[in-house]
Amino acid sequence: MSLARLAELYGVATSYSPSPDSTVRASDAALTAALAALGVAADAPGALAAREAELADRPVPPTVVLWSDGSTPDWLRALPDRARLALRPEGAREFTAWDPAVPPPPGVHRLRVEEPDGSGTEAHLVVAPPAAPLPAGRSHGLLVQLYSLLSTRSWGMGDLADLADLASWSARTHGVGFLQVNPLHAAVPAAPDGAMDPSPYRPSSRRFPDPVHLRIEDIPEYAHVPGRDREAAALREAVLRKGELIDRDAVWALKREVLETLVRDVPLTPGRRAAYCDYLAEQGTALEDHATYQALAERHGPDWHTWPAALRDPRSPETARARRDAMDRVDFHSRLAWLTDTQLAAAQHTAREAGMPIGLVHDLAVGVHPGGADAWAQRDVFAQGMSVGAPPDAFNARGQDWGLPPWRPDRLAETGYAPFRALLHDLMRHAGAVRIDHVMGLFRLWWIPEGEAPTAGCYVHYDAEAMLAVLLLEASRTGTYVIGEDLGTVEPGVRETLHARGVLGTSVLWFERDWDAPGAPPVPAERWRTDCVATATTHDLPSTAARLTGDDVRLRERLGLSTATPAEAAAEVAEWLGLFARLGLLAGAPGDEEESVRAVHRFLLRTPARMTGIWLPDLVGDRRPQNLPGTWDEYPNWRLPVADADGRPVTLEDIAASPRAHALLSVFRAPDVPLTGPPDARTV
């Protein structure tokens, strides 16, 4: 009983419910391991009493929230009547007396609580708007895995210039309002005898973009170095004409060789040097840490756990000395971050200039690689020896281990959520909206002890109010919309809380069923959520054509993955197509694949969803999923170019000229479909 009570006092859940009628108790081993990762020895004498006394003696938690809607928070009501409050506003140096009747402006301030007995406690005070900005009107956009979108100019994989060109074409020609891209975070460097992890959802750093996405020719200094057109064309043609997979390592090797020459041999002009220095000053220690990790990884390998002991600490004297010794490499990697940031800004500018009301929608991965830059630079904020995943449920009896170290909720609170704030600030700089992968992680995460099966984990809770306050504060500062990926098993009350705070959800056609009704029929279009992004599929699901034709089932059967039977899958598709026909959304001859795909999207437009997402490969009938969960070497995840219905890779130019693509996008320009609002349309 004392272990369970101790766990609860640290936010470690003692049980979970995989279904409404089932509760599973976490093992003592799981609770003990989670507490240990939080710095608590569960078997220490007096551990429970010490925690109870700590909570009782502190009048406010390390971080508290004040919503700017005038409501009085519980922590403020609970203070002693004679307590005196002082505030040091964000950016100020001195505390001054604070009357709670006069709310401070939005920001992260420092609060001091002085009790009648003379004792005092300080805390971070997050003052945030009650809700995130919301789009003023409806819009439709494309869901893009950037690496898969090759043009006739890209070097073997899609790049930021391709993204900008897609934005300009789709907005000007078809009124597209946004482009949602995969995470563009910096990847973990390849080991000398290995390859980069191609998954964009297991990055080295979520704060800085990956320079592999650079369009080299668009860097001004490139004009002064020898061209590599022949090698670039060979990489491109291997994917587009020879059927080879996207080879991220080969692309980066060629780009890096050019960038090495460019940085070494071509000085920046005075104006560009000044812009680079401004970027260095703005990013400060965070960029220095990131670039230092990159430099040290070149010498000691990409996993910092294997480095010499002194270098595993980013603040050690030995690390400072190593940084000085490798300053040219630190500058090189800092320069690459700046160049990539510049092209990201240009892509968003192009999108907005073309008339997109939202522009780029960046994707925030749920975590980082344990051996990467963020886990090294912020090691004190991460729970050592733990990995994030998911417990067993109706869809996966073994659970999931994503191999990502979780943030420690206690350390986040102690810092006023500074790491989370900085991450959001950087991500929102060049975004019209941000998608939060596994948004349920703002509330709780499934922690798995290192080396154990996912079944051996337990949930650890985060201060969702503080996490949301920080998210909404940063979103309000930049006018950025927030989208939460809330698919799968969701804790009761989470979707309602997110909705109340202006966070859009994610609704996928095939999952929208009335599970409480007999036979679980499809949810009528008019009953879908308004505040969501409505789509037919995602990067982890089959394309629309694959699902309609049964190709997805045949692929999973071929790979030995559990799936619905062909008959079950066909019955589900027939049910949806029957609904589309009854609604008058399905024209043409029975079995017309392209018309069926258009009917799917006509149905999405019948919903009240603020945003409708179109999977880019659906424009050309691509059958292959970009990622097939549950596979590794069995399937080329994250390495496939966009292809047509016959599996032939297509370029951006091919997509722009495709009659099938134009026919699908024309669905969204029908007279009875509300078009996107003006570029500056926003409501708060």
Side-chain angles (χ1 to χ4, degrees), residues 321-582:
R321 185 161 50 250
R323 179 185 295 116
R324 290 193 298 271
D325 293 343
M327 190 51 66
D328 60 330
R329 304 307 301 161
V330 173
D331 180 69
F332 173 73
H333 291 290
S334 298
R335 181 88 67 92
L336 299 195
W338 170 63
L339 292 172
T340 314
D341 181 81
T342 300
Q343 290 196 5
L344 266 176
Q348 173 66 352
H349 176 77
T350 297
R352 297 301 296 273
E353 190 177 49
M356 285 190 172
I358 298 174
L360 301 185
V361 179
H362 287 298
D363 198 348
L364 176 63
V366 71
V368 295
H369 194 287
D374 284 1
W376 173 73
Q378 301 173 356
R379 55 181 295 182
D380 291 342
V381 186
F382 286 94
Q384 302 301 316
M386 286 286 165
S387 177
V388 172
D393 56 25
F395 302 99
N396 192 324
R398 294 178 296 179
Q400 302 174 56
D401 185 346
W402 303 331
L404 310 168
W407 267 334
R408 285 181 54 165
D410 57 332
R411 294 285 171 78
L412 286 177
E414 290 166 5
T415 64
Y417 293 82
F420 189 40
R421 285 188 280 132
L423 171 60
L424 294 170
H425 171 78
D426 286 342
L427 194 66
M428 292 176 176
R429 291 171 69 242
H430 310 309
V434 167
R435 174 188 180 271
I436 310 294
D437 189 38
H438 192 69
V439 72
M440 295 80 78
L442 300 180
F443 296 76
R444 66 178 186 177
L445 285 172
W446 185 256
W447 286 22
I448 305 166
E450 191 174 78
E452 299 290 340
T455 53
C458 62
Y459 274 114
V460 175
H461 290 276
Y462 292 75
D463 184 342
E465 183 179 46
M467 298 283 276
L468 283 170
V470 168
L471 176 61
L472 270 54
L473 173 63
E474 294 300 329
S476 68
R477 284 172 161 170
T478 55
T480 304
Y481 311 136
V482 182
I483 303 162
E485 186 272 295
D486 57 352
L487 302 174
T489 302
V490 182
E491 187 180 11
V494 167
R495 286 197 176 103
E496 292 78 6
T497 299
L498 294 173
H499 171 74
R501 295 300 178 192
V503 177
L504 303 181
T506 302
S507 294
V508 177
L509 180 95
W510 312 100
F511 300 156
E512 290 297 313
R513 290 182 168 273
D514 186 349
W515 300 105
D516 295 327
V523 175
E526 63 272 14
R527 283 175 45 199
W528 281 42
R529 295 182 284 181
T530 297
D531 292 335
C532 76
V533 179
T535 72
T537 190
T538 74
H539 59 267
D540 283 335
L541 296 172
S543 69
T544 306
R547 189 178 287 271
L548 291 172
T549 59
D551 279 9
D552 62 317
V553 176
R554 289 185 284 273
L555 172 61
R556 294 183 67 85
E557 283 186 330
R558 188 166 68 249
L559 295 175
L561 300 174
S562 61
T563 183
T565 67
E568 291 170 336
E572 181 187 21
V573 169
E575 183 180 24
W576 279 102
L577 292 178
L579 173 62
F580 300 154
R582 291 192 298 275

Side-chain angles (χ1 to χ4, degrees), residues 106-397:
V108 181
H109 314 294
R110 194 68 176 160
L111 173 70
R112 178 184 294 160
V113 179
E114 297 178 356
E115 298 188 72
D117 63 2
S119 61
T121 302
E122 289 190 13
H124 300 276
L125 174 63
V126 182
V127 181
L134 286 173
R138 299 186 68 191
S139 64
H140 62 282
L142 297 172
L143 314 181
V144 184
Q145 297 288 295
L146 180 55
Y147 59 85
S148 72
L149 178 69
L150 281 74
S151 71
T152 55
R153 293 183 59 194
S154 49
W155 292 21
M157 62 181 284
D159 59 38
L160 290 169
D162 294 325
L163 184 64
D165 204 36
L166 176 67
S168 184
W169 165 74
S170 63
R172 297 177 189 279
T173 307
H174 293 287
V176 167
F178 64 90
L179 299 181
Q180 179 179 304
V181 296
N182 58 282
L184 303 182
H185 310 317
V188 174
D193 57 349
M196 289 183 181
D197 183 345
S199 172
Y201 289 92
R202 205 163 178 252
S204 172
S205 173
R206 295 187 292 176
R207 283 203 63 175
F208 297 97
D210 197 316
V212 76
H213 300 114
L214 282 168
R215 169 63 63 85
I216 298 296
E217 297 95 324
D218 287 356
I219 301 172
E221 291 76 27
Y222 179 70
H224 303 282
V225 301
R228 306 302 295 270
D229 295 347
R230 181 177 299 178
E231 295 95 326
L235 287 172
R236 180 173 58 246
E237 295 304 304
V239 176
L240 296 175
R241 306 288 176 248
K242 299 180 181 179
E244 296 185 15
L245 298 174
I246 292 171
D247 188 342
R248 181 190 182 97
D249 301 316
V251 173
W252 176 234
L254 180 58
K255 288 188 176 182
R256 176 171 177 151
E257 184 179 343
V258 174
L259 290 165
E260 294 274 6
T261 302
L262 183 150
V263 171
R264 183 186 64 243
D265 297 344
V266 184
L268 295 171
T269 64
R272 281 178 58 75
R273 168 62 64 179
Y276 176 44
C277 290
D278 283 350
Y279 179 76
L280 291 175
E282 178 185 359
Q283 296 299 324
T285 301
L287 177 59
E288 187 176 70
D289 285 343
H290 176 71
T292 299
Y293 164 85
Q294 294 289 124
L296 294 177
E298 292 176 344
R299 181 172 182 179
H300 301 290
D303 186 351
W304 62 269
H305 296 92
T306 66
W307 294 356
L311 298 183
R312 297 173 200 168
D313 180 358
R315 304 292 168 247
S316 72
E318 291 82 1
T319 297
R321 185 161 50 250
R323 179 185 295 116
R324 290 193 298 271
D325 293 343
M327 190 51 66
D328 60 330
R329 304 307 301 161
V330 173
D331 180 69
F332 173 73
H333 291 290
S334 298
R335 181 88 67 92
L336 299 195
W338 170 63
L339 292 172
T340 314
D341 181 81
T342 300
Q343 290 196 5
L344 266 176
Q348 173 66 352
H349 176 77
T350 297
R352 297 301 296 273
E353 190 177 49
M356 285 190 172
I358 298 174
L360 301 185
V361 179
H362 287 298
D363 198 348
L364 176 63
V366 71
V368 295
H369 194 287
D374 284 1
W376 173 73
Q378 301 173 356
R379 55 181 295 182
D380 291 342
V381 186
F382 286 94
Q384 302 301 316
M386 286 286 165
S387 177
V388 172
D393 56 25
F395 302 99
N396 192 324

Side-chain angles (χ1 to χ4, degrees), residues 569-650:
E572 181 187 21
V573 169
E575 183 180 24
W576 279 102
L577 292 178
L579 173 62
F580 300 154
R582 291 192 298 275
L583 294 173
L585 304 177
L586 187 59
D592 184 334
E593 176 192 311
E594 291 189 39
E595 176 59 20
S596 297
V597 173
R598 289 193 287 271
V600 166
H601 291 85
R602 291 189 186 107
F603 181 85
L604 294 177
L605 279 175
R606 286 283 186 95
T607 75
R610 292 182 184 272
M611 298 171 67
T612 304
I614 310 154
W615 181 234
L616 180 73
D618 278 348
L619 296 184
V620 288
D622 198 346
R623 298 287 200 276
R624 305 173 301 180
Q626 282 296 316
N627 179 50
L628 192 58
T631 63
W632 184 249
D633 294 332
E634 306 94 326
Y635 187 80
N637 296 315
W638 317 114
R639 290 174 287 169
L640 292 171
V642 177
D644 64 17
D646 297 319
R648 290 188 296 265
V650 295

